[in-house]
C-alpha cells in the first residue's frame, strides 16, 4: 500500500485548500442513496496487488457517516423496484435495511391511503324531507334578505340628524346608547340630584373652554374660536362646534362677550387677515383703579360652580313640570329637594337650545345678470348692455309653484288607562295620595337619615350573625373589637369593623334589653341575652325599620 505524503494530509484537512494528490489511487466510496453505485474500475498494471477495500468502508477523502445514517434511506429513494438505488445499493440485502425500507414505505403511504379511504366512502342518500326543509330554509332566507334591503333603502332616504358632542342629537331614547340612556342610574354613591349625560358633557366643555381662554387671555392674546376649538377638542377628544358655544351662552350669558373682528394675525393659510373671526372675551369684575384682571384658578372654580348650578336649575324646572303633571300633582320646595322623582327620567330632559352668536356682516354679491346690469348700466357699451338684457330674459323663467306637502295624519291623543273594575274611585285616590306622600318623603330625605334607614334594614340579619358569634365563642361577653371583626367576617357584604361598630351601637340603642354595652377601662364589652327568642327580636327590628321609613 502506497504511503501518502505529509502535504496530502494537510490538503485534505483544510477545507478551502484541498488539492489533488499526486499519486492517484482508485477511490472506493460508499454509494450515495440518491445516486446509483458506480462500478469500481479494474486495477491497472501499475497498481498494488493487495485486496481491495470493501465498498462499505469509507475512504480518506470524506468522513464516514454514522451507522444509523447508512442504514436509513429517504422516502424518494424507495419509490419502486426499478429505482437505481434499490438495484445497486449494498444495504439492500441486509435485514436491517429491509426493516427500515418497510417502515419508510408505510410512513410515506399513510396520507395516500387515508385519501383513498375518503374517496371510497359512499355518501349517504338524501331523503325527500331533507330536501324540502333545505328549500324552505332558502326561501325564508331570501325573504329576510329582501326585507333588510327594503329597510336599508328606506333608512337611506331619510335625512341624517345633526350631530352634537360626538353623538346624534335628534335620536330618541330607544336609539341612543345605553351609557347615555341610563347614565343617571350608573352614578356611584348615594342617589342625588344627578345631571343628564348631555348636560355633564356641556359642563365639561365649559370647563375646558374656560381653561383655554384663561391661558390665552392672561398673556394678552386675542382669543378666537379657532384657537379655542382646537384646544377643547384636544382636551376632551370630542367635537366642539359653534353650536356648543351657543349652548354655553344660553346657560351662562354673563360668562363671555362675543364679537366679529377682522385683521387678526392667524399664521394660517386657510384664514386670511381680512376675514371676520369670532373673538371671545371673558367677563370679569374689574375694580376701580386696578389693572386688567387675570383669569385665576379661583375665578375658574367659581365660574364652573355657577355653570353647574344653572344647569341644575334648568333640570329642576323640568322636574317641577313633571311633578305638576302627576295625579295627584306634587310640589316640593327647592331647598328641600335631595333627589329626583323615581319615575322622572333625567336623561330624557331636552337639550339646551343654542343662542345666536354674532355673525360676520353680509357682503352684497351679484348673483344674476339683471343685478349686474342694474349696477353697471352706465359703465357698459350699448352692445354689451343688450347682450346682458337678452341673457337675463332667457334665464328668467317662471318658477314652478312649490308642491304642496301631503298633510300628515294627526296622531290620535293618548287614551287614558281604563279604571280598574270593582274598585271605588275614593280608594284609588287614597292609594295615590299615600304613594305621593311616600315619594315626597323619599325626595326630601337627608343623607344622614338615608344612612340610618340603610343600617336599620341590615339589623335583622346582623342580629342573627351576632347571636351566632356569641354561641360559637361560648362567652357571656365579648370586646367590641372582637365582636365587630367576627361579624364583618360572617356578613354577606364587605363592611369595615368601624362601620360594623355603628350597627352594634344602633342595635343596643333599639334593643337595650337584648344587647347591652359596658365600658370597662379602655375597652367596650358587648353582652347578649342568649335566652331571648331570636325570631321575636328579628320581627321587632323589622317593625321598627318600617316605622322609621314611614316617618
Amino acid at each position: 500500500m502506497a504511503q501518502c505524503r505529509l502535504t496530502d494530509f494537510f490538503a485534505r484537512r483544510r477545507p478551502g485548500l484541498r488539492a489533488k494528490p499526486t499519486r492517484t489511487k482508485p477511490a472506493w466510496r460508499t454509494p450515495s442513496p440518491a445516486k446509483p453505485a458506480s462500478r469500481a474500475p479494474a486495477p491497472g498494471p501499475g497498481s498494488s496487488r493487495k485486496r481491495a477495500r470493501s465498498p462499505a468502508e469509507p475512504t480518506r477523502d470524506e468522513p464516514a457517516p454514522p451507522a444509523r445514517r447508512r442504514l436509513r434511506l429517504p422516502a424518494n429513494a424507495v419509490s419502486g423496484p426499478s429505482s437505481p438505488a434499490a438495484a445497486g445499493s449494498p444495504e439492500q440485502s441486509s435485514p436491517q435495511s429491509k426493516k427500515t425500507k418497510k417502515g419508510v414505505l408505510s410512513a410515506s403511504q399513510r396520507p395516500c391511503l387515508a385519501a383513498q379511504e375518503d374517496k371510497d366512502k359512499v355518501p349517504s342518500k338524501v331523503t325527500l324531507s331533507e330536501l324540502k326543509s333545505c328549500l324552505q330554509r332558502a326561501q325564508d332566507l331570501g325573504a329576510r334578505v329582501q326585507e333588510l334591503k327594503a329597510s336599508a333603502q328606506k333608512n337611506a332616504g331619510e335625512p341624517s340628524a345633526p350631530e352634537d358632542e360626538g353623538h346624534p342629537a335628534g335620536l330618541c331614547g330607544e336609539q341612543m346608547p345605553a351609557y347615555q340612556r341610563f347614565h343617571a342610574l350608573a352614578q356611584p354613591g348615594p342617589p342625588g340630584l344627578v345631571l343628564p349625560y348631555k348636560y355633564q358633557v356641556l359642563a365639561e366643555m365649559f370647563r375646558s373652554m374656560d381653561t383655554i381662554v384663561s391661558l390665552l387671555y392672561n398673556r394678552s392674546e386675542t382669543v378666537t374660536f379657532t384657537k379655542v376649538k382646537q384646544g377643547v377638542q384636544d382636551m376632551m377628544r370630542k367635537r366642539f362646534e359653534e353650536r356648543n358655544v351657543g349652548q354655553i351662552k344660553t346657560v351662562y350669558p354673563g360668562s363671555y362677550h362675543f364679537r366679529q373682528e377682522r385683521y387678526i394675525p392667524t399664521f394660517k393659510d386657510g384664514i386670511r387677515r381680512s376675514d371676520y373671526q369670532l373673538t371671545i372675551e371673558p367677563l370679569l369684575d374689574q375694580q376701580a383703579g386696578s389693572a386688567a384682571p387675570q383669569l385665576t384658578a379661583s375665578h375658574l372654580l367659581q365660574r364652573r360652580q355657577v355653570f353647574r348650578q344653572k344647569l341644575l336649575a334648568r333640570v329642576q324646572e323640568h322636574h317641577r313640570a313633571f311633578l305638576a303633571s302627576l295625579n295627584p300633582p306634587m310640589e316640593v320646595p327647592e331647598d328641600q329637594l335631595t333627589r329626583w322623582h323615581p319615575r322622572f327620567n333625567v336623561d330624557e330632559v331636552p337639550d339646551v337650545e343654542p343662542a345666536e352668536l354674532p355673525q360676520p356682516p353680509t357682503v352684497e354679491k351679484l348673483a344674476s345678470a339683471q343685478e349686474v346690469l342694474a349696477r353697471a348700466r352706465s359703465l357698459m357699451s350699448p352692445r354689451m348692455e343688450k347682450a346682458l338684457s337678452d341673457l337675463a330674459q332667457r334665464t328668467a323663467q317662471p318658477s314652478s309653484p312649490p308642491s304642496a306637502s301631503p298633510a300628515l295624519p294627526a296622531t290620535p291623543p293618548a287614551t287614558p288607562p281604563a279604571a280598574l273594575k270593582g274598585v271605588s274611585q275614593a280608594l284609588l285616590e287614597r292609594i295615590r295620595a299615600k304613594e305621593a306622600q311616600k315619594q315626597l318623603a323619599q325626595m326630601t330625605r337627608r343623607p344622614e337619615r338615608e344612612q340610618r334607614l340603610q343600617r336599620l334594614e341590615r339589623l335583622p340579619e346582623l342580629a342573627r350573625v351576632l347571636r351566632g358569634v356569641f354561641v360559637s365563642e361560648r362567652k357571656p361577653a365579648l370586646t367590641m373589637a372582637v365582636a365587630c371583626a367576627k361579624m364583618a367576617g360572617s356578613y354577606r357584604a364587605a363592611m369595615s369593623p368601624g362601620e360594623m361598630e355603628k350597627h352594634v351601637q344602633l342595635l343596643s340603642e333599639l334593643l337595650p334589653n337584648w344587647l347591652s354595652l359596658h365600658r370597662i377601662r379602655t375597652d367596650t364589652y358587648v353582652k347578649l341575652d342568649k335566652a331571648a327568642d331570636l325570631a321575636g327580636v328579628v320581627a321587632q327590628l323589622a317593625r321598627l325599620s318600617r316605622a322609621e321609613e314611614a316617618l
Side-chain angles (χ1 to χ4, degrees):
M1 182 176 184
Q3 184 178 3
C4 296
R5 292 186 299 177
L6 186 62
T7 54
D8 298 339
F9 171 77
F10 282 105
R12 285 196 299 272
R13 293 289 292 176
R14 299 181 65 180
L17 301 176
R18 182 172 295 182
K20 186 176 180 181
T22 54
R23 296 184 179 182
T24 59
K25 185 178 180 181
W28 302 93
R29 292 190 178 93
T30 304
S32 174
K35 298 179 180 180
S38 59
R39 293 181 174 273
S47 61
S48 175
R49 296 182 178 180
K50 291 186 177 181
R51 179 177 55 86
R53 189 179 290 114
S54 61
E57 187 176 353
T59 61
R60 295 181 182 179
D61 293 344
E62 58 185 17
R68 291 187 180 181
R69 193 180 303 173
R70 289 201 307 269
L71 295 177
R72 185 177 293 118
L73 297 177
N76 54 4
V78 290
S79 58
S82 60
S83 175
S89 61
E91 295 86 0
Q92 187 178 3
S93 60
S94 63
Q96 183 67 21
S97 62
K98 291 181 181 180
K99 292 182 181 179
T100 308
K101 180 179 178 181
K102 183 178 180 180
V104 172
L105 283 173
S106 62
S108 61
Q109 289 179 357
R110 282 174 188 171
C112 301
L113 293 176
Q116 188 67 24
E117 289 177 2
D118 294 340
K119 291 180 180 179
D120 295 338
K121 289 183 179 179
V122 181
S124 60
K125 296 183 179 180
V126 181
T127 60
L128 183 60
S129 60
E130 293 180 358
L131 289 177
K132 289 183 178 180
S133 62
C134 292
L135 181 59
Q136 183 65 25
R137 196 181 308 113
Q139 292 177 356
D140 295 343
L141 290 176
R144 181 61 179 168
V145 168
Q146 294 297 332
E147 292 177 2
L148 291 177
K149 286 183 179 180
S151 61
Q153 292 177 359
K154 183 179 180 181
N155 295 336
E158 297 177 357
S160 60
E163 292 186 356
D164 177 36
E165 303 148 1
H167 64 274
L171 293 178
C172 60
E174 288 74 17
Q175 296 180 354
M176 293 173 63
Y179 73 91
Q180 297 180 14
R181 283 185 284 141
F182 308 108
H183 175 265
L185 301 178
Q187 294 302 311
L193 300 178
V194 184
L195 291 177
Y197 176 78
K198 46 194 171 185
Y199 282 20
Q200 290 198 6
V201 172
L202 189 62
E204 186 67 18
M205 285 184 175
F206 176 77
R207 185 190 68 83
S208 304
M209 179 179 176
D210 234 14
T211 304
I212 301 299
V213 169
S214 66
L215 294 175
L216 299 176
Y217 179 76
N218 291 340
R219 61 190 184 199
S220 301
E221 185 177 347
T222 305
V223 184
T224 61
F225 173 73
T226 306
K227 302 176 184 177
V228 173
K229 176 182 179 180
Q230 186 63 36
V232 173
Q233 290 184 161
D234 292 343
M235 290 179 65
M236 294 192 60
R237 296 294 187 267
K238 291 181 180 294
R239 292 181 56 186
F240 185 71
E241 305 293 344
E242 290 190 8
R243 182 175 184 274
N244 305 124
V245 180
Q247 290 177 336
I248 292 175
K249 183 179 180 182
T250 301
V251 177
Y252 194 2
S255 57
Y256 298 105
H257 180 63
F258 302 96
R259 290 191 301 269
Q260 287 285 346
E261 298 183 8
R262 303 171 65 184
Y263 304 107
I264 299 176
T266 57
F267 307 103
K268 289 186 178 181
D269 297 336
I271 302 176
R272 296 175 297 179
R273 290 176 59 90
S274 59
D275 294 342
Y276 282 93
Q277 297 188 54
L278 180 64
T279 59
I280 304 171
E281 181 183 359
L283 298 179
L284 302 174
D285 297 334
Q286 184 176 3
Q287 299 179 0
S290 61
Q294 296 287 321
L295 199 55
T296 59
S298 59
H299 286 112
L300 295 179
L301 183 60
Q302 180 183 1
R303 288 159 64 91
R304 189 190 314 171
Q305 292 176 354
V306 171
F307 190 82
R308 183 176 179 83
Q309 291 297 329
K310 290 182 178 294
L311 286 176
L312 186 60
R314 295 179 68 89
V315 182
Q316 286 178 350
E317 292 179 2
H318 294 285
H319 183 255
R320 195 182 307 114
F322 173 78
L323 294 180
S325 64
L326 295 177
N327 184 19
M330 300 173 60
E331 184 176 357
V332 183
E334 298 294 339
D335 55 345
Q336 298 181 7
L337 186 65
T338 58
R339 68 181 66 189
W340 308 119
H341 192 274
R343 293 202 298 268
F344 178 65
N345 196 342
V346 184
D347 292 305
E348 287 187 358
V349 173
D351 205 351
V352 180
E353 293 294 332
E356 294 184 2
L357 298 176
Q359 299 296 329
T362 57
V363 180
E364 186 179 359
K365 296 181 180 180
L366 304 178
S368 62
Q370 292 181 352
E371 295 178 0
V372 174
L373 183 60
R375 291 288 301 273
R377 188 179 296 274
S378 59
L379 303 177
M380 300 179 185
S381 61
R383 186 174 180 181
M384 184 178 295
E385 183 178 352
K386 182 180 179 181
L388 286 176
S389 61
D390 295 342
L391 179 61
Q393 290 178 2
R394 287 196 303 268
T395 56
Q397 298 292 338
S399 59
S400 59
S403 60
S405 59
L408 298 176
T411 58
T415 58
L420 298 176
K421 295 182 180 181
V423 181
S424 62
Q425 192 68 21
L427 179 59
L428 291 176
E429 293 296 335
R430 287 198 302 270
I431 294 174
R432 292 194 185 104
K434 189 175 181 180
E435 184 181 359
Q437 183 181 1
K438 183 179 179 180
Q439 292 171 354
L440 179 61
Q442 290 180 356
M443 287 187 291
T444 57
R445 189 177 295 161
R446 295 298 174 183
E448 298 82 6
R449 186 164 181 78
E450 183 70 25
Q451 290 181 359
R452 180 180 173 85
L453 291 177
Q454 290 179 359
R455 291 170 185 167
L456 285 173
E457 291 179 358
R458 301 191 192 105
L459 286 185
E461 187 175 356
L462 288 177
R464 296 190 184 94
V465 174
L466 182 58
R467 189 178 185 280
V469 170
F470 270 89
V471 170
S472 62
E473 291 293 330
R474 297 181 181 179
K475 294 180 180 179
L478 295 174
T479 60
M480 179 67 77
V482 173
C484 292
K486 296 284 185 179
M487 293 175 64
S490 302
Y491 190 57
R492 56 183 174 84
M495 193 177 300
S496 62
E499 184 68 20
M500 190 64 69
E501 184 176 353
K502 296 179 182 179
H503 287 77
V504 174
Q505 292 176 357
L506 181 59
L507 195 58
S508 65
E509 177 185 346
L510 296 177
L511 300 175
N513 298 329
W514 183 67
L515 182 69
S516 58
L517 303 179
H518 302 276
R519 182 77 177 179
I520 300 175
R521 294 176 184 173
T522 58
D523 293 336
T524 302
Y525 287 86
V526 182
K527 190 173 181 180
L528 183 69
D529 185 9
K530 298 181 183 179
D533 185 16
L534 183 60
V537 172
V538 171
Q540 187 176 358
L541 289 174
R543 186 166 57 255
L544 290 175
S545 177
R546 289 193 298 268
E548 286 273 350
E549 189 175 0
L551 293 179

